[in-house]
Amino acid sequence: MSASMTRRDFAKMFVGGGVALGLSACGGDETSSSSEDTSSDGSSNIGGSLTMYTPNSETLVNSLVPAFEDKTGITVDLIQAGTGELFKKIQSEASNPIADVMWGGELTGEAYKQYFQEYTSPEDSNVMEAYRNETGYCTHYTLDGSVLILNKDLTKDLDIKGYADLLNPALAGSIATADPTSSSSAFHHLTQMLLDMGGYESDEAWDYVKQLFTLVQGKIASGSSNVYKTVADGEMAVGLSYEDPCVQLVQDGANVEVVYPEEGTIFLAANTAIVKDCANLDQAKAWVDFIISQDAQNIIASQTTSRPVRSDVDLNSSMKPMDEINTATEDTAYVNEHKDEIINKYTEIYTALQNS
């Protein structure tokens, strides 16, 4: 199928790779000229094209984008890179947008609002209430929890159920984490442990951070993927990671265990949003409608290790049911407002430990 070939071609191209991309999808009028038809199976045949920026994994891309193309007749031109890099592109292109939608990452907060088009899908009412579109522009499509990943051999004599158990001297130098100042997964662990161990401003919670990073011994992973990889490879005993790739490792037979911190696991939503003044608004709306439809959420639940936002789908058997996990709720507004303060305080602690 030509649409799938286009998707695969674009999936190999990265924004930071020096590849020049000619994106004819973004040169059209703001209102799509394609007519919307309905096929015999009830699918909407909108046609046209859609330029999508995404940091998502190939698993999600290959599971969902072809299904969207087949259902709508829309050709997806896909550009993949890190969330931060893609958002900087959206900012720099604001006067003449290239992307129609951003798919992935965290896009909530006042800093993002000006770059995205307000749209709430009719499907939004079917999303679990806590994860519905409250911003007017940001649609949640999957949930991901901050988890611990354990190498079974290296932790077989330890009982690790949560953050408190990581303060075991036996784990000194064997705890993997990325840098909270540059890694979103590491930052989410930082805010989760603060909340779990007393609160964002609690002296006790910050003392816990100091004790934990004393045991880390300056061994900061170069990126979030290196955290779970070094645990799976047996280089490190425990990692501060996130659910999706860790459950995938379990599913693939790796010698690891996923632990949801008993003090409370926070599940944050990944988002998609329509770029303001995009060229293909009808196609962009069709994408948002699709990604939270029951069909797409069933694909997420059955073919990936991401957690769906609808409750009317069957969860992947590799995933632990939410009602078996002690969950906590991030104060997103507080974290967004005080992110710099949290980062600065962590940096002071880490720098002092390195200089001691």
Side-chain angles (χ1 to χ4, degrees):
M1 186 178 68
S2 60
S4 293
M5 286 299 295
T6 301
R7 176 188 62 78
R8 292 191 184 100
D9 291 342
F10 273 82
K12 297 176 182 177
M13 300 181 183
F14 290 81
V15 174
V19 182
L21 302 178
L23 301 177
S24 59
C26 296
D29 297 332
E30 288 190 9
T31 303
S32 171
S33 59
S34 301
S35 59
E36 182 173 340
D37 301 316
T38 303
S39 65
S40 59
D41 65 357
S43 302
S44 296
N45 287 300
I46 299 171
S49 59
L50 176 74
T51 298
M52 178 185 291
Y53 286 180
T54 184
N56 278 325
S57 67
E58 290 300 317
T59 300
L60 272 176
V61 169
N62 293 334
S63 296
L64 289 162
V65 173
F68 171 70
E69 290 178 320
D70 289 345
K71 183 170 185 176
T72 63
I74 296 170
T75 300
V76 175
D77 294 339
L78 189 73
I79 298 175
Q80 292 174 281
T83 302
E85 186 175 357
L86 291 171
F87 184 65
K88 286 178 182 176
K89 274 184 64 65
I90 288 172
Q91 287 178 304
S92 67
E93 296 161 358
S95 61
N96 187 26
I98 292 176
D100 296 306
V101 297
M102 176 73 172
W103 175 36
E106 293 171 52
L107 307 174
T108 57
E110 290 300 315
Y112 298 92
K113 190 172 184 178
Q114 62 181 305
Y115 299 103
F116 296 105
Q117 166 85 32
E118 287 200 3
Y119 178 66
T120 300
S121 170
E123 290 282 355
D124 194 65
S125 60
N126 296 315
V127 169
M128 288 184 281
E129 187 172 359
Y131 300 102
R132 291 175 188 166
N133 181 352
E134 295 181 351
T135 64
Y137 67 92
C138 192
T139 297
H140 308 315
Y141 65 91
T142 58
L143 307 176
D144 211 346
S146 295
V147 302
L148 307 179
I149 180 171
L150 278 56
N151 181 286
K152 289 183 179 181
D153 288 338
L154 298 179
T155 59
K156 62 183 178 181
D157 297 324
L158 303 174
D159 186 19
I160 301 175
K161 295 180 180 178
Y163 286 124
D165 300 318
L166 298 184
L167 299 186
N168 186 332
L171 290 172
S174 297
I175 301 172
T177 178
D179 184 355
T181 68
S182 58
S183 163
S184 60
S185 63
F187 178 75
H188 294 325
H189 264 288
L190 176 60
T191 58
Q192 179 170 288
M193 68 179 67
L194 287 171
L195 183 63
D196 284 349
M197 306 309 283
Y200 303 115
E201 299 178 359
S202 162
D203 290 340
E204 292 80 8
W206 281 105
D207 183 62
Y208 172 84
V209 172
K210 182 178 179 179
Q211 292 183 66
L212 178 66
F213 278 87
T214 298
L215 293 177
V216 169
Q217 296 184 344
K219 296 181 179 180
I220 301 296
S222 59
S224 58
S225 63
N226 281 339
V227 172
Y228 54 82
K229 286 177 181 177
T230 56
V231 174
D233 292 343
E235 296 175 40
M236 304 293 271
V238 182
L240 308 183
S241 192
Y242 56 107
E243 185 181 39
D244 178 12
C246 295
V247 173
Q248 185 65 55
L249 282 168
V250 172
Q251 191 167 278
D252 292 344
N255 187 39
V256 297
E257 177 185 356
V258 177
V259 171
Y260 299 83
E262 64 180 359
E263 296 90 352
T265 301
I266 293 171
F267 286 87
L268 296 177
N271 311 297
T272 191
I274 300 173
V275 176
K276 185 171 286 186
D277 299 324
C278 69
N280 301 294
L281 182 57
D282 289 345
Q283 288 77 8
K285 289 180 178 179
W287 166 257
V288 175
D289 294 346
F290 168 78
I291 199 63
I292 55 173
S293 68
Q294 190 172 38
D295 285 349
Q297 291 286 298
N298 269 320
I299 291 172
I300 290 169
S302 62
Q303 298 182 23
T304 80
T305 49
S306 293
R307 196 172 285 267
V309 294
R310 291 177 64 134
S311 58
D312 56 352
V313 297
D314 293 328
L315 193 65
N316 184 327
S317 60
S318 299
M319 309 285 285
K320 190 171 186 176
M322 193 77 87
D323 59 10
E324 296 179 13
I325 301 170
N326 182 33
T327 60
T329 303
E330 181 93 286
D331 186 340
T332 306
Y334 177 92
V335 171
N336 286 340
E337 184 178 351
H338 297 275
K339 183 174 182 177
D340 289 344
E341 296 171 36
I342 294 171
I343 288 294
N344 290 339
K345 192 158 186 175
Y346 159 79
T347 302
E348 288 176 9
I349 291 173
Y350 183 76
T351 302
L353 288 172
Q354 294 304 104
N355 293 334
S356 62

